[in-house]
Amino acid sequence: MKMKRSMVLLLNCLLFVTLIFSGCSGGTAGPSSQNQPAGNASSDKGKKIVVGVSIPDFSAMFFTYLLAGAKKYAESQTDVNVIYNDAQNDANKQVSQVETFIAQKVNAIVIIPVDTVSAPTIVEKANQANIPIIIVNRTFDGIDKATAYVGGSSIQSGTIQMEQVAKLLNGKGNIAIMDGTMGAEAQIKRTEGNMQVITKYPDMKVVLQGSGDFDRAKGMSLMENWLNSGKPIDAVVANNDEMAIGAINAIKAAGKMKDILVAGIDATPDALEFIKSGELKVTVFQDAYGQGAGGLEAAIKAAKGEHVEHDNFIPYQLVTKENVEEYVKKWK
């Protein structure tokens, strides 16, 4: 009986020792992937910088190139993990994503704001958590409180675009303005730039205006409605290339390509093909790769405590059939 009790005591002791050693061995290893999908920040945060990135829409063509630029830069950094989130054009979802980044204690945050209303709230939340926040591509009132801005001046792109349209129309004609998603900084400022130019030409007037949500299919549908309205249109000026291409598809189907000039913004690879064919007369180059890489670079520097300039402007550039090949090379 005593021997039996001794054996039980010995087994209990061995079990106790085993539990102690297993507890001291640590938790699970951090993620091995340099660029994580949406999820938890790296558990080896002491060794790697973790950056949270929220983009309005992964499926939007321009943002796919911007995301590619960020990922390309991230690949060159051995001490960085990046969490990429798709806000799906939902401002509330983007706020929630940033709150999650803060809870995960990321070292820096990068966002392209879904809209100009929620953006100041996002910046305030990051500042309260003492986490550097980099704004890319879109500006808003209160952006001065962010750590840095990387991108162009949207109003400049609208101005460049409409000045070329005015030149091609000899300063007169009926203009249809195709807005992007209403409330987005690019929609507000690009259209504002358009209107500033139009006011300088008494013989140019806006006869139609509507939103195509920066989307090709919606741009095509809006253009079809405009064509069915019977109102004379000399030029369609779209806030981005995707809507411009949609407009071209509708105009071609109606057999009116010779009558209507179309202009876009972004100079995406698809748009450059339409420039080469002569169907898209004007676009304005926005360096998506440069903005993606620049935003991530600024975030990493800020996370390391290095100095980062607040304003990091990447200028827009006019693209026409005469210089299109120069911009084709930029995407290769």
Side-chain angles (χ1 to χ4, degrees):
M1 188 71 173
K2 288 182 179 180
M3 184 177 294
K4 189 173 182 180
R5 287 180 180 175
S6 299
M7 287 295 291
V8 170
L9 181 62
L10 179 61
L11 288 171
N12 284 338
C13 288
L14 288 171
L15 178 61
F16 181 72
V17 170
T18 301
L19 289 171
I20 289 176
F21 277 100
S22 65
C24 292
S25 65
T28 58
S32 59
S33 172
Q34 184 181 10
N35 301 317
Q36 306 175 80
N40 291 328
S42 172
S43 61
D44 60 349
K45 206 183 81 166
K47 298 178 182 178
K48 290 198 173 189
I49 291 169
V50 181
V51 181
V53 178
S54 177
I55 291 178
D57 182 3
F58 278 7
S59 65
M61 181 169 288
F62 178 81
F63 292 138
T64 64
Y65 294 116
L66 189 147
L67 190 59
K71 288 183 176 181
K72 187 72 174 178
Y73 185 81
E75 288 172 3
S76 68
Q77 307 299 304
T78 58
D79 60 345
V80 177
N81 278 338
V82 185
I83 304 169
Y84 299 102
N85 278 183
D86 183 352
Q88 298 177 336
N89 280 323
D90 185 329
N92 292 328
K93 180 170 286 189
Q94 186 167 62
V95 172
S96 178
Q97 288 171 351
V98 171
E99 289 173 341
T100 300
F101 290 154
I102 292 170
Q104 292 170 329
K105 293 182 170 54
V106 299
N107 302 105
I109 295 170
V110 178
I111 69 162
I112 300 170
V114 169
D115 63 23
T116 59
V117 177
S118 62
T121 300
I122 288 173
V123 171
E124 183 180 359
K125 287 179 180 291
N127 287 341
Q128 287 175 348
N130 200 30
I131 297 174
I133 181 162
I134 311 300
I135 309 300
V136 176
N137 185 258
R138 296 174 175 176
T139 63
F140 52 90
D141 290 338
I143 196 171
D144 56 302
K145 295 179 181 178
T147 306
Y149 169 70
V150 177
S153 169
S154 287
I155 197 167
Q156 179 194 39
S157 66
T159 301
I160 291 172
Q161 178 192 41
M162 190 59 81
E163 285 286 10
Q164 183 64 14
V165 170
K167 179 180 177 181
L168 294 173
L169 293 178
N170 295 315
K172 58 185 178 181
N174 295 322
I175 310 298
I177 293 181
M178 199 168 279
D179 287 304
T181 303
M182 302 305 292
E185 185 270 348
Q187 175 270 319
I188 295 169
K189 292 298 182 181
R190 290 177 180 183
T191 297
E192 184 179 338
N194 291 163
M195 299 305 290
Q196 285 182 2
V197 173
I198 290 173
T199 57
K200 297 191 297 183
Y201 295 90
D203 294 327
M204 288 177 63
K205 61 180 180 179
V206 177
V207 294
L208 290 163
Q209 187 170 358
S211 173
D213 276 334
F214 293 121
D215 181 79
R216 186 180 300 195
K218 291 180 181 178
M220 182 174 179
S221 178
L222 180 60
M223 190 69 230
E224 288 170 345
N225 291 336
W226 285 350
L227 291 169
N228 290 332
S229 74
K231 289 188 178 181
I233 303 170
D234 296 301
V236 175
V237 181
N239 282 170
N240 79 337
D241 288 333
E242 283 297 284
M243 293 188 297
I245 292 170
I248 287 170
N249 290 338
I251 294 168
K252 284 169 67 175
K256 295 187 176 183
M257 280 305 298
K258 292 182 179 179
D259 304 321
I260 303 174
L261 179 157
V262 181
I265 294 177
D266 287 337
T268 62
D270 277 4
L272 296 180
E273 291 301 314
F274 280 85
I275 287 281
K276 287 198 287 185
S277 72
E279 294 169 322
L280 182 63
K281 298 298 183 183
V282 179
T283 189
V284 184
F285 179 69
Q286 182 176 202
D287 190 351
Y289 271 94
Q291 290 186 18
L296 197 56
E297 180 182 13
I300 293 168
K301 284 183 177 180
K304 291 180 177 179
E306 299 176 12
H307 174 70
V308 179
E309 293 290 339
H310 185 273
D311 295 325
N312 302 274
F313 289 112
I314 300 174
Y316 285 90
Q317 302 166 50
L318 175 67
V319 183
T320 64
K321 196 170 184 177
E322 287 68 35
N323 66 354
V324 65
E325 291 299 336
E326 174 186 344
Y327 293 91
V328 170
K329 293 175 184 177
K330 291 180 183 291
W331 294 107
K332 293 181 177 179

